[in-house]
Amino acid sequence: MGERKENNLHDVSQTLVDVAMGRKTAELVIKDARLVNVHTAEIIPGTDVAVAEGRIALVGDASHTIGPETTVIDAAGKYLTPGFLDGHIHVESSMVNVTGFAGAVMPHGTTAIFMDPHEIANVLGMEGIRLMHEEGNTVPLRVFTTVPSCVPAAPGMEDAGAAIGPEEVREVLSWEGVVGLGEMMNFPGVLANDPHVHAIIKETLAAGKVVTGHYAMPTEGPGLHAYMSAGISSCHESVTKEDALAKLRRGMYAMLREGSAWHDVKETIRAVTEHNIDSSYCILCSDDTHPETLLERGHLNHVVLRAIQEGLNPIRAIQMVTINPARYFNCDKDLGSIAPGKYADMLLISDLTCVEVDTVFIAGNLIADKGKLQTKLPTHKYPVSVRHSVRLPKTLEEADFHIKAPNTTPTIRAMQISEAQVGTKELQLQVPAQNGLIHADPTKDLAKVAVFERHSGKGTHAVGFVTGFGFTRGAVASTVAHDSHNLLIVGTNDADMAVAGNILAEHGGGMVAVSEGEVLALVELPVAGLMSDQPVEEVAQNVAALAKAWQNLGCTLVSPFMTMALLSLPVIPDLRITNRGLVDVTKFDFVNLFVGADK
């Protein structure tokens, strides 16, 4: 399968008119469906839909459009809804490429995504964005792109593999299928009128496209107003009813998130269910979805289900993954509802309340039935140049993890993590020195953590301490380390930490668990150190084996991978570590590992 060919409405409009009038026959007719009309929020029984040239010609009684060559599907009273649209997703978090992701989500009803390739951009820059964007044109899933806005996420605090500025944003915005700017995480820069940040926003507004947001601050006070005044029109960071309601009341689209690590719908949907407000500005999205979640729960079907389980009217929930995101991204002339002239992206659902997706059509083509793909996807391989992105100046040794003590009983700063919380706390501990060095102490749940720059080959690195994982032995390493995705290693001893880092360098990235020099489990992610081009089932199996290995090493967390991956993200309080050192995020400045010492 080559590049997906689309039929623009102006090219096929007269054919659609002929089909609607009965002068030509339809290619596909779906008979006797309960139409979920997202325009009027009603269910219309006994509805037919006639399709030609990949678009809808008629919604109503389509008997006169049926000919000898027409494929007729009897819906037998099943619900007919528009295909589901994910308004905010990082495909890289699924650990598979766009093709693998498409194959995993289409059977569950997802027919289009608006992806922010922020992760690969931090590794490969413009080339990474281009590769994922172009791959999206080869699959039936409609893949729209937003330009990553914050590469690197924290300039001066870390070293990423690339930098994206106003000129790069202007270029990517000119590509077909690029619909806006990815989440503007640098809200302090927006509020401080940072010229670089605002230049990126202005390029997007000048192109007539949307600026998506990331406002993770309290909504009281002038901050949210200033943020929106810059032209930012949506946010997926609401975690409370009050957050979501404040944004909705000010005309901001609230993207309510339910992914693998973030379970926000339970709280945020209360803004609608408890206040009975108009939900036109609400969008349901997934943000980050891991491979095992895709296989066990599905994708947007699960997000819609969660909203319904929390008391939302099912029709409103369907609107939040169809017409609402389509309107936000200015794609509603083609997508988001079942109406004449629009793409025939449709779902047959047997149980609306349980969101049981039976059949999936994209452009009138049968894509999936009973949870199984009915179309063959292309085999997609990324170039060799992006499969060797872990560049270290030398093989790691135990000495690279040594921490020299300034005295016999120094007080250190350690990152303290907690289950299911993105934030860390600074914990000050007095630790004994042994032969002039400070070591991890698994008996006290104190592990070492190291970050090595892996993009340029310079290998600058920093070593610190973390508590809360529960490791009693061994080490783990990952090149999925937000947002610069350097080589991140956590361990109980220097020898295993070195082995873990070297294994990932050898395999081009991924995640690994090591004990006594032996590899317990390995997830190979050779595409930029973030993704695999293997099937999602195989990746999920490897991730499950890694989770078991973490448990064998003593880890007590239920979902530890994202917790570890955020240790190096210096925009979330309180304490983080990058390849440049320990960062006090509340002060946005480096601090010394040893309390009382100079920076």
Side-chain angles (χ1 to χ4, degrees):
M1 183 184 296
E3 183 171 325
R4 185 181 63 235
K5 301 297 183 183
E6 301 289 12
N7 288 325
N8 293 313
L9 181 58
H10 59 264
D11 292 325
V12 300
S13 57
Q14 288 182 282
T15 298
L16 297 179
V17 169
D18 280 339
V19 172
M21 295 302 295
R23 293 188 290 263
K24 289 184 178 180
T25 58
E27 297 165 14
L28 167 71
V29 169
I30 297 176
K31 295 281 294 180
D32 190 26
R34 297 182 189 178
L35 174 67
V36 178
N37 191 316
V38 295
H39 294 292
T40 56
E42 59 182 334
I43 296 174
I44 305 174
T47 302
D48 305 341
V49 175
V51 176
E53 301 288 357
R55 289 181 178 265
I56 297 168
L58 177 145
V59 181
D61 181 358
S63 302
H64 65 291
T65 71
I66 298 174
E69 304 299 320
T70 303
T71 298
V72 179
I73 295 178
D74 185 359
K78 291 181 180 179
Y79 296 93
L80 185 66
T81 77
F84 296 161
L85 319 178
D86 195 334
H88 180 71
I89 176 73
H90 302 285
V91 170
E92 302 98 314
S93 293
S94 70
M95 303 182 203
V96 292
N97 60 17
V98 176
T99 303
F101 180 82
V105 303
M106 289 189 297
H108 297 296
T110 302
T111 58
I113 61 172
F114 298 87
M115 71 171 180
D116 180 354
H118 172 87
E119 318 304 345
I120 201 170
N122 270 278
V123 179
L124 302 176
M126 293 279 283
E127 177 69 358
I129 301 170
R130 182 186 64 79
L131 287 169
M132 289 188 71
H133 181 71
E134 290 182 353
E135 184 186 1
N137 291 327
T138 69
V139 295
L141 180 73
R142 301 187 191 278
V143 180
F144 298 93
T145 301
T146 59
V147 194
S149 62
C150 300
V151 180
M157 296 286 111
E158 58 185 346
D159 291 292
I164 292 179
E167 292 184 6
E168 289 81 9
V169 168
R170 185 188 314 127
E171 179 183 336
V172 179
L173 286 169
S174 70
W175 300 350
E176 186 176 356
V178 174
V179 293
L181 189 69
E183 55 179 304
M184 176 46 73
M185 295 184 294
N186 191 354
F187 49 83
V190 174
L191 302 190
N193 261 339
D194 179 277
H196 177 81
V197 170
H198 279 268
I200 287 173
I201 294 172
K202 288 177 180 179
E203 288 289 349
T204 310
L205 297 176
K209 299 184 178 182
V210 298
V211 181
T212 67
H214 172 122
Y215 190 77
M217 295 176 66
T219 51
E220 64 265 16
L224 178 62
H225 301 258
Y227 190 73
M228 292 183 64
S229 294
I232 302 167
S233 50
S234 69
C235 177
H236 63 275
E237 284 296 320
S238 298
V239 296
T240 67
K241 174 188 74 172
E242 291 76 18
D243 287 342
L245 198 58
K247 292 166 186 173
L248 291 166
R249 284 173 170 167
R250 285 156 184 80
M252 174 178 264
Y253 275 81
M255 295 185 175
L256 312 182
R257 173 177 56 186
E258 188 81 8
S260 293
W262 325 122
H263 306 291
D264 298 328
V265 164
K266 181 178 179 64
E267 287 298 320
T268 56
I269 204 65
R270 293 170 56 211
V272 178
T273 58
E274 294 182 5
H275 291 266
N276 196 32
I277 61 171
D278 189 307
S279 56
S280 300
Y281 275 61
C282 288
I283 294 172
L284 292 170
C285 70
S286 68
D287 196 358
D288 297 289
T289 308
H290 299 159
E292 68 276 13
T293 303
L294 294 175
L295 293 177
E296 294 173 5
R297 298 178 181 175
H299 185 224
L300 288 175
N301 59 314
H302 175 68
V303 183
V304 172
L305 175 63
R306 285 293 302 116
I308 294 172
Q309 289 173 335
E310 295 301 329
L312 186 66
N313 179 294
I315 299 178
R316 285 199 180 196
I318 297 295
Q319 288 175 317
M320 292 180 190
V321 290
T322 57
I323 191 66
N324 293 3
R327 284 172 173 161
Y328 176 63
F329 286 103
N330 298 313
C331 297
D332 54 313
K333 65 181 178 60
D334 290 321
L335 302 172
S337 65
I338 295 175
K342 296 195 179 184
Y343 284 127
D345 298 354
M346 305 175 292
L347 313 179
L348 283 173
I349 297 178
S350 54
D351 188 321
L352 196 63
T353 302
C354 296
V355 202
E356 293 181 2
V357 177
D358 286 352
T359 312
V360 180
F361 301 90
I362 297 180
N365 297 313
L366 178 63
I367 298 298
D369 190 57
K370 299 295 190 294
K372 302 293 183 183
L373 276 179
Q374 301 296 311
T375 185
K376 184 175 175 58
L377 298 181
T379 299
H380 192 90
K381 292 288 185 181
Y382 279 75
V384 174
S385 59
V386 307
R387 301 174 71 87
H388 300 282
S389 61
V390 184
R391 303 181 184 93
L392 301 177
K394 66 178 185 64
T395 301
L396 299 181
E397 303 170 353
E398 291 185 46
D400 295 318
F401 300 88
H402 286 175
I403 299 176
K404 294 182 179 180
N407 53 60
T408 56
T409 55
T411 299
I412 63 167
R413 292 181 171 91
M415 288 182 284
Q416 183 179 33
I417 63 168
S418 299
E419 178 75 72
Q421 294 184 14
V422 298
T424 66
K425 294 181 179 179
E426 178 182 310
L427 187 64
Q428 296 188 4
L429 300 171
Q430 191 174 58
V431 294
Q434 299 175 17
N435 299 321
L437 300 176
I438 304 295
H439 299 279
D441 187 351
T443 66
K444 296 181 180 179
D445 190 15
L446 184 65
K448 277 187 179 178
V449 56
V451 179
F452 288 78
E453 192 274 336
R454 57 107 168 175
H455 305 293
S456 69
K458 294 178 181 178
T460 57
H461 70 281
V463 186
F465 290 93
V466 62
T467 181
F469 282 106
F471 290 123
T472 57
R473 61 192 180 95
V476 295
S478 176
T479 51
V480 180
H482 299 280
D483 268 339
S484 290
H485 300 291
N486 284 307
L487 176 58
L488 175 63
I489 309 170
V490 176
T492 62
N493 65 86
D494 298 343
D496 281 340
M497 293 179 76
V499 171
N502 289 330
I503 289 292
L504 292 190
E506 176 185 345
H507 288 271
M511 300 184 292
V512 67
V514 171
S515 181
E516 297 181 355
E518 296 295 324
V519 175
L520 303 183
L522 172 65
V523 179
E524 295 187 54
L525 303 175
V527 179
L530 299 171
M531 297 182 292
S532 170
D533 44 27
Q534 298 304 306
V536 67
E537 293 83 1
E538 180 178 326
V539 177
Q541 186 176 7
N542 292 337
V543 171
L546 183 70
K548 185 175 181 180
W550 276 56
Q551 292 177 352
N552 290 338
L553 294 179
C555 182
T556 55
L557 300 183
V558 175
S559 181
F561 301 143
M562 184 61 79
T563 301
M564 177 179 171
L566 295 177
L567 293 179
S568 56
L569 181 57
V571 295
I572 303 178
D574 290 330
L575 198 63
R576 302 286 157 168
I577 187 169
T578 75
N579 65 293
R580 294 194 181 190
L582 207 60
V583 180
D584 182 336
V585 180
T586 59
K587 300 177 181 177
F588 208 60
D589 199 3
F590 293 103
V591 294
N592 200 290
L593 174 63
F594 298 104
V595 177
D598 294 331
K599 285 191 295 183

